[in-house]
Amino acid sequence: MDTDAGLVRRLLASQHPQWAELPVERVPSAGTDNAIYRLGDDLAVRLPRIHWSVDNVAKEQKWLPVLAPHLPLAVPVPVAVGEPEEAFPYPWGVVRWLPGEHATVGPAR
């Protein structure tokens, strides 16, 4: 599934208009499951990129808030759910932005 900042902005305008005017920037990722876009300073949008990752969206949105307080590191806790619509046929989510370096960009050492 191809995504871009324009799609993210349209989805936000449709479902979460309070964030639709924030800056949107794609985050480089070596992963295949989700496209990630930084949303303003404190949020990120996660869009499934491939059919096998679609079911994981609901699992993450259910379990990450439950597990987060018990983990020794920060995880991207969901703050909003995005529903499928004509512009994007999969569920998606808005999560808290985690500052730091992306662990999988570049060659493994």
Side-chain angles (χ1 to χ4, degrees):
M1 175 68 60
D2 290 327
T3 64
D4 59 29
L7 171 64
V8 172
R9 200 166 295 290
R10 289 190 304 277
L11 291 170
L12 290 167
S14 172
Q15 298 185 40
H16 300 290
Q18 71 272 28
W19 297 316
E21 298 302 319
L22 291 175
V24 174
E25 180 182 341
R26 186 166 191 141
V27 176
S29 172
T32 58
D33 288 0
N34 293 286
I36 302 171
Y37 292 83
R38 186 156 185 188
L39 178 60
D41 292 331
D42 301 319
L43 300 171
V45 175
R46 290 170 48 94
L47 303 168
R49 293 174 40 171
I50 196 150
H51 65 87
W52 68 66
S53 68
V54 172
D55 291 340
N56 292 337
V57 174
K59 290 177 193 172
E60 290 173 357
Q61 291 171 343
K62 177 181 179 179
W63 288 106
L64 285 178
V66 173
L67 296 172
H70 306 286
L71 297 173
L73 65 150
V75 294
V77 176
V79 296
V81 175
E83 299 295 332
E85 61 177 65
E86 187 175 334
F88 189 76
Y90 302 138
W92 53 281
V94 179
V95 298
R96 293 272 169 228
W97 175 256
L98 297 177
E101 297 296 318
H102 196 287
T104 59
V105 173
R109 296 180 213 199

